[in-house]
């Protein structure tokens, strides 16, 4: 599978309408510093799991704190 | 056909404010209002048991109806926080209400999916045995098992009890049900020494299983979601209700939301909502119910008001 891009991950999150400010997210900044709370992160990760067919187990969550982390994780899994 | 005739409810007057816990749990008021959806949690007195919540709900039912307890042929309690492990709580309720000796009594051990499951179980039980009037109670006092220092559960659950009068002449009757379980996920919501909830696991389960269940149910009935006049979803949290609305693309104005002042009352949440509307439903209106959670399990139903 071709590498997933930041734009594709953001598009999946926007399409799922999980958060209202997906357009303004900085991929390299901690989600927790961008007004994204723990519930939003659960919703975002579910939308990523569904869009890219990956499973993100709880033990891997601590390492996923930015959009760039999500992109890297999906690409490693794929 | 057996249907729901009336619903009695009890919400303890005592409330615990989540707004007093912002600093303790490092959360904002916006998070409490817009994501959790619970400003205050209803709290029973420590010595009160599930059966007491049932009896108070029954007192409310008596005010709403001219019920004669001699006519009650079955008494069912949905709870996972019974008064005792032995005996079943319905036996205690049976005794407290002085119900007839030929009234069948049993408990159903289910959580948030319990009310909808129980409607099907009890209606079928009554139908099979020629019964005309039965009582279906819900009472799951989570304040006995929640760790007040656990951010994942301490802001959510409230205590309440309800009783639905099921009657062979009632006009709110089921058209179809859908049930299911993901038993491999049972550890997502479990009570060992205290209640534990893996919020992400429960959220993921709900966001995927509930829309699927509802689509399946509507397909079985060959009706569109637009034909449902009101939606009564288990009040797990505002975030989960909003997620289901978004995923099913429901008309938000038709989805009942009311948990700000008492919290997630487990199997009591749907009958609490329905009790406020049952007298105003119009003939022909269809309503959808869906309960989901502990198990992990779910149950959905479509009911219709008939002549």
């Amino acid at each position: 599978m071709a590498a997933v891009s930041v734009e594709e991950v953001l598009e999946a999150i926007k399409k799922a309408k999980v958060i209202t400010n997906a357009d303004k997210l900085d991929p390299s900044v901690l989600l927790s510093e961008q007004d994204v709370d723990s519930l939003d992160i659960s919703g975002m990760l579910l939308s990523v799991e569904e869009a890219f067919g990956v499973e993100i187990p709880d033990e891997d969550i601590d390492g996923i704190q930015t959009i760039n982390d999500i992109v890297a994780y999906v690409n490693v899994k794929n | 056909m057996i249907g729901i005739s009336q619903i009695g409810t009890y919400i303890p007057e005592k409330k615990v404010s989540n707004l007093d816990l912002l600093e303790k749990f490092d959360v904002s008021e916006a998070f409490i209002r817009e994501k959790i959806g619970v400003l205050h949690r209803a709290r029973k007195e420590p010595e009160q048991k599930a059966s007491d919540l049932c009896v108070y709900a029954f007192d409310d039912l008596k005010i709403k109806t001219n019920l004669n307890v001699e006519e009650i042929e079955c008494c069912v309690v949905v709870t996972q926080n019974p008064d005792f492990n032995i005996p079943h709580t319905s036996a205690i309720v049976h005794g407290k209400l002085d119900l007839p000796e030929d009234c069948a009594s049993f408990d159903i051990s289910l959580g948030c999916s319990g009310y909808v499951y129980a409607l099907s179980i009890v209606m079928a039980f009554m139908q099979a045995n020629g019964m005309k009037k039965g009582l279906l109670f819900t009472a799951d006092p989570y304040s006995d098992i929640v760790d007040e220092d656990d951010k994942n559960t301490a802001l959510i659950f409230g205590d309440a009890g309800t009783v639905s009068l099921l009657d062979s002449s009632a006009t709110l009757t089921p058209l179809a049900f859908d049930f299911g379980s993901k038993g491999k996920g049972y550890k997502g919501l479990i009570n060992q020494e205290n209640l534990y909830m893996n919020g992400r696991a429960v959220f993921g389960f709900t966001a995927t299983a509930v829309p699927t269940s509802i689509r399946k149910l509507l397909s079985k009935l060959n009706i569109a979601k637009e034909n449902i006049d009101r939606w009564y979803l288990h009040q797990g949290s505002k975030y989960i209700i909003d997620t289901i609305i978004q995923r099913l693309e429901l008309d938000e104005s038709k989805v009942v939301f009311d948990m700000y002042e008492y919290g997630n009352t487990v199997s009591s949440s749907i009958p609490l909502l329905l009790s406020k509307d049952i007298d105003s439903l119009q003939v022909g209106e269809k309503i959808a119910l869906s309960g989901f959670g502990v198990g992990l399990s779910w149950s959905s139903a479509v009911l219709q008001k008939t002549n």
Side-chain angles (χ1 to χ4, degrees), chain B residues 30-103:
Chain B
F31 181 80
I32 294 291
R33 285 183 186 277
E34 293 159 24
K35 298 293 178 61
I36 302 291
V38 180
L39 302 180
H40 301 96
R41 289 170 282 124
R43 174 69 57 82
K44 69 175 183 62
E45 295 301 328
E47 67 277 11
Q48 286 184 313
K49 301 289 188 186
S51 67
D52 297 311
L53 306 184
C54 293
V55 169
Y56 283 124
F58 184 77
D59 290 342
D60 183 52
L61 182 67
K62 278 196 299 186
I63 292 168
K64 293 174 175 172
T65 65
N66 55 0
L67 183 63
N68 174 4
V69 293
E70 294 300 320
E71 295 176 346
I72 300 301
E73 295 167 292
C74 74
C75 166
V76 179
V77 176
V78 178
T79 188
Q80 292 186 318
N81 286 282
D83 291 21
F84 308 101
N85 284 333
I86 297 174
H88 42 299
T89 300
S90 54
I92 300 169
V93 173
H94 179 281
K96 287 182 175 179
L97 298 181
D98 201 19
L99 297 177
E101 287 192 1
D102 58 0
C103 169

Side-chain angles (χ1 to χ4, degrees), chain A residues 15-18 37-40 42-43 45-47 49-50 56-58 61, chain B residues 31 35-36 151 196 198-201 203-204 207-208 237 239 243 246-247 249:
Chain A
K15 197 173 167 188
K17 297 177 186 169
V18 177
D37 61 43
S38 57
L39 290 175
D40 292 328
S42 292
L45 294 179
L46 178 63
S47 66
E49 288 179 319
E50 291 178 325
I56 308 173
D58 287 341
I61 293 292
Chain B
F31 181 80
K35 298 293 178 61
I36 302 291
K151 182 179 175 181
Y196 164 81
N198 178 332
R200 180 173 170 244
F203 167 77
T208 51
S237 69
Y239 188 71
T243 298
Q246 185 264 315
R247 287 190 159 231
E249 297 182 313

Side-chain angles (χ1 to χ4, degrees), chain B residues 186-233:
Chain B
Y186 78 92
K187 289 181 181 172
L189 195 47
I190 189 167
N191 180 40
Q192 290 174 303
E193 290 189 5
N194 278 119
L195 186 70
Y196 164 81
M197 182 170 75
N198 178 332
R200 180 173 170 244
V202 174
F203 167 77
F205 150 72
T206 305
T208 51
V210 174
T212 302
S213 169
I214 288 171
R215 286 191 194 102
K216 192 172 151 194
L217 183 59
L218 296 180
S219 172
K220 190 193 288 187
L221 288 167
N222 197 27
I223 59 174
K225 61 178 186 260
E226 290 75 18
N227 295 125
I228 299 295
D229 296 287
R230 301 214 83 174
W231 296 83
Y232 298 88
L233 307 172

